[in-house]
């Protein structure tokens, strides 16, 4: 979120951690690393954005956690989705998709052309090793 | 209000990767209901992920993927109707960034330029729940059937949060609408909790536990059917029930998407909606 970058997390009573289902379950949450010098699971997040909703300081938690994600290894399944997108433009690959769609009375789909997808994904120097794949 | 100068409102129904790959019955019911409400559905010439599997945690270029679809929508003069919470959030985040950050705008513009596309940033993006809530008066006129079962409803997190990019509905609006259409709904403690589907990517058991605890909360508070309208939620709440209830298959609960539920209200047969739960669908 493009927000007032002057806002600083003052580790208020850590309301974000209370709102986070991952943190509440005792697992390392990405928030733990943002609000204190604690171990972090940058990818341990369900994208529910409850943390953002409750933060009284309007901290740009989204950008902070995304930056963290670049520093830690992606979970295997995320890596798989990323790989699928870079190959086909869709994060899930289904063989015979259009035949199945036809059985449901749905129009066939065409996935984005290889060349176009390349252009959309290659247009920057990647900020971390993580992005080399795409 | 909805139809300008007698023209139908054009929409692109964007299923997202998960619904495209796995929830054909949801996509089908969505197009049926939207057509019946008078929308003209424009087919996307080519499908590309909205970028939700990437996000800035993987690459800054995630935004080009969603901008590509938004640019196509703009070219065809269509709004986007999403079937998944993640896609909704991502498209709206794209609009938000493009309208505020000149650097992002320039980068995206140069990528789209190479594909002979451009995007001004004004395509409206709504989730199907929001569309159906907006059209509830028209839906009410078409209700032909009374449903005897009780429904637990939920909304995808990302159509509600964060507030800078979310729409106008609240969590309660869906339930209020369904009640007003004669559907019996239940109140359950975990109604506003996230289903935890994304956790399946990093800790499957944790994800399963979260989903199951939400389903159990609904079931033990009287729900016969669970209703959700998001690829990720459906994957978790429907497809994972085999794992959740492997020792207790009798506790499984049917999961319908909102368009399928509305389809039943309209009088469509369970076969045409691809619903396979004879017990609760015994209309007599
Ligand atoms: S991010 Fe916000 S809610 Fe979390 S500890 Fe900091 S100020 Fe508090
Ligand atoms: S968005 Fe992620 S970090 Fe924030 S509350 Fe949800 S799970 Fe926790």
């Amino acid at each position: 979120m493009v927000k007032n970058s002057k806002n600083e997390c003052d580790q208020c009573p850590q309301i974000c951690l209370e709102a986070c289902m991952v943190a509440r379950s005792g697992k390392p949450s990405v928030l733990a690393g943002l609000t204190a010098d604690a171990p972090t699971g940058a990818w341990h997040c369900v994208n529910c954005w409850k943390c953002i909703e409750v933060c009284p300081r309007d901290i740009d938690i989204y950008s902070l956690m995304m930056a963290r994600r670049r520093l830690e290894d992606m979970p295997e399944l995320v890596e798989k989705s990323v790989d699928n997108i870079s190959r086909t433009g869709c994060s899930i690959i289904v063989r015979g998709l259009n035949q199945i769609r036809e059985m449901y009375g749905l129009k066939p789909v065409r996935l984005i052309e290889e060349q176009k997808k390349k252009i959309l994904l290659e247009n920057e120097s990647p900020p971390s090793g993580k992005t080399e794949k795409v | 209000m909805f139809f300008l100068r007698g023209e139908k409102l054009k929409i692109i129904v964007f299923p997202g990767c998960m619904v495209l790959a796995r929830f054909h019955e949801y996509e089908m019911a969505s197009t049926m209901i939207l057509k019946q409400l008078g929308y003209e559905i424009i087919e996307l010439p080519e499908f590309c992920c909205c970028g939700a599997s990437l996000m800035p945690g993987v690459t800054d270029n995630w935004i080009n993927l969603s901008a590509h679809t938004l640019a196509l929508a703009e070219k065809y003069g269509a709004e986007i109707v999403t079937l998944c919470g993640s896609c909704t959030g991502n498209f709206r985040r794209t609009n938000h960034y493009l309208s505020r950050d000149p650097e992002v705008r320039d980068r995206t513009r140069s990528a789209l330029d190479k594909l002979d596309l451009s995007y001004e940033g004004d395509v409206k993006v709504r989730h199907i729940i929001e569309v159906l809530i907006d059209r509830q008066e028209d839906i009410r006129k078409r209700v032909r059937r009374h449903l005897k079962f009780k429904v637990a409803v939920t909304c995808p997190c990302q159509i509600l949060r964060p507030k800078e990019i979310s729409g106008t509905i609240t969590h309660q609006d869906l339930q209020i609408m369904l009640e007003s259409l004669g559907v019996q709904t239940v109140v359950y403690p975990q109604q506003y909790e996230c289903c935890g589907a994304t956790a399946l990517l990093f800790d499957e058991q944790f994800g399963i536990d979260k989903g199951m605890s939400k389903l159990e909360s609904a079931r033990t508070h009287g729900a016969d059917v669970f209703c959700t309208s998001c690829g990720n939620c459906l994957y978790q709440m429907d497809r994972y029930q085999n794992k959740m209830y492997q020792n207790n298959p009798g506790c499984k609960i049917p999961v319908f998407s909102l368009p399928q539920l509305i389809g039943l209200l309209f009088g469509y047969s369970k076969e045409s909606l691809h619903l396979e739960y004879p017990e609760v669908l015994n209309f007599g």
Side-chain angles (χ1 to χ4, degrees):
Chain A
M1 210 88 331
V2 185
K3 270 192 203 165
N4 182 1
S5 56
K6 288 193 201 96
N7 290 358
E8 271 180 36
C9 164
D10 60 358
Q11 299 181 28
C12 77
Q14 303 201 333
I15 310 178
C16 55
L17 280 162
E18 274 168 45
C20 174
M21 68 151 73
V22 181
R24 278 199 319 260
S25 77
K27 290 185 180 303
S29 148
V30 55
L31 297 171
L34 304 183
T35 57
D37 194 13
T40 158
W43 290 89
H44 292 186
C45 169
V46 295
N47 308 331
C48 68
W49 314 137
K50 288 203 174 187
C51 48
I52 299 174
E53 179 177 68
V54 299
C55 174
R57 305 274 177 273
D58 223 13
I59 301 298
D60 187 359
I61 296 178
Y62 180 83
S63 301
L64 291 170
M65 69 163 75
M66 291 301 154
R68 279 270 170 172
R69 287 187 190 181
R70 293 192 180 189
L71 303 175
E72 290 184 32
D73 285 341
M74 281 179 228
E76 220 174 287
L77 290 175
V78 176
E79 214 166 334
K80 180 104 176 74
S81 303
V82 172
D83 190 49
N84 286 345
I85 292 172
S86 67
R87 289 197 290 131
T88 69
C90 183
S91 67
I92 304 170
I93 297 176
V94 178
R95 267 181 236 289
L97 179 62
N98 281 335
Q99 281 101 299
I100 304 172
R101 290 177 66 81
E102 205 184 337
M103 284 170 7
Y104 284 84
L106 288 164
K107 299 237 169 83
V109 289
R110 210 172 57 160
L111 299 183
I112 185 166
E113 275 170 35
E114 175 79 32
Q115 192 50 30
K116 292 185 182 172
K117 180 196 62 217
K118 245 188 168 157
I119 289 169
L120 294 175
L121 288 173
E122 83 191 347
N123 194 34
E124 80 175 330
S125 46
S128 81
K130 291 265 153 36
T131 55
E132 274 164 19
K133 274 205 197 69
V134 283
Chain B
M1 26 163 252
F2 251 90
F3 302 101
L4 300 165
R5 284 176 247 107
E7 276 176 64
K8 280 183 179 179
L9 191 62
K10 292 180 184 171
I11 54 169
I12 285 172
V13 179
F14 187 84
C17 299
M18 182 67 97
V19 173
L20 181 79
R22 299 198 164 107
F23 295 98
H24 314 293
E25 64 283 15
Y26 172 28
E27 191 181 339
M28 182 61 212
S30 302
T31 55
M32 268 163 51
I33 301 301
L34 290 167
K35 274 187 200 153
Q36 198 167 347
L37 290 173
Y39 293 95
E40 181 187 344
I41 296 181
I42 309 291
E43 301 294 330
L44 262 182
E46 44 189 3
F47 175 89
C48 179
C49 167
C50 72
S53 296
L54 305 176
M55 301 205 286
V58 177
T59 168
D60 286 343
N61 281 337
W62 68 271
I63 199 166
N64 294 344
L65 300 189
S66 51
H68 170 258
T69 299
L70 289 162
L72 289 171
E74 191 170 87
K75 184 171 155 185
Y76 296 117
E79 288 188 4
I80 289 184
V81 177
T82 51
L83 305 184
C84 177
S86 295
C87 307
T88 316
N90 244 38
F91 283 130
R92 286 177 178 163
R93 195 179 292 282
T94 297
N95 276 343
H96 184 84
Y97 283 157
L98 291 177
S99 69
R100 279 165 184 75
D101 192 330
E103 209 179 294
V104 175
R105 200 160 50 223
D106 286 348
R107 213 158 17 86
T108 303
R109 188 172 287 161
S110 89
L112 292 177
D113 216 32
K114 293 182 193 149
L115 306 183
D116 275 335
L117 286 170
S118 64
Y119 181 50
E120 292 304 319
D122 297 327
V123 168
K124 194 167 165 187
V125 177
R126 282 183 302 165
H127 185 272
I128 189 155
I129 293 178
E130 297 168 324
V131 176
L132 296 178
I133 286 177
D134 280 352
R135 300 291 305 275
Q136 57 186 295
E137 288 314 316
D138 301 298
I139 291 174
R140 195 186 327 281
K141 288 180 208 146
R142 294 172 167 82
V143 172
R144 301 279 177 272
R145 187 189 267 148
H146 174 71
L147 305 177
K148 292 185 203 136
F149 51 82
K150 293 199 176 91
V151 186
V153 292
T154 194
C155 273
C157 294
Q158 290 134 326
I159 72 172
L160 304 167
R161 289 182 292 274
K163 64 177 183 310
E164 287 84 352
I165 56 166
S166 57
T168 50
I169 67 158
T170 68
H171 232 307
Q172 289 85 2
D173 291 340
L174 175 58
Q175 187 166 14
I176 293 168
M177 168 179 82
L178 286 174
E179 283 281 338
S180 83
L181 297 174
V183 177
Q184 307 168 67
T185 63
V186 302
V187 172
Y188 61 106
Q190 292 202 25
Q191 192 157 3
Y192 306 140
E193 285 291 306
C194 171
C195 72
T198 307
L200 296 169
L201 292 174
F202 62 83
D203 185 338
E204 190 184 42
Q205 193 55 50
F206 174 64
I208 291 177
D209 291 347
K210 284 294 154 197
M212 184 165 171
S213 109
K214 182 160 179 165
L215 272 180
E216 280 297 288
S217 170
R219 196 176 63 83
T220 55
H221 285 78
D224 304 307
V225 164
F226 190 84
C227 174
T228 183
S229 306
C230 166
N232 299 316
C233 290
L234 281 166
Y235 189 53
Q236 163 83 299
M237 302 309 239
D238 186 59
R239 303 295 152 88
Y240 262 83
Q241 280 195 46
N242 287 335
K243 273 199 176 163
M244 293 173 187
Y245 295 112
Q246 56 187 347
N247 298 323
N248 223 345
C251 290
K252 284 196 201 171
I253 173 168
V255 178
F256 299 173
S257 63
L258 180 63
Q260 286 173 303
L261 192 64
I262 305 267
L264 287 175
L265 288 174
F266 283 4
Y268 288 123
S269 70
K270 57 192 180 200
E271 290 79 17
S272 67
L273 295 163
H274 301 278
L275 291 168
E276 296 156 4
Y277 301 98
E279 320 81 60
V280 294
L281 294 180
N282 200 348
F283 300 118

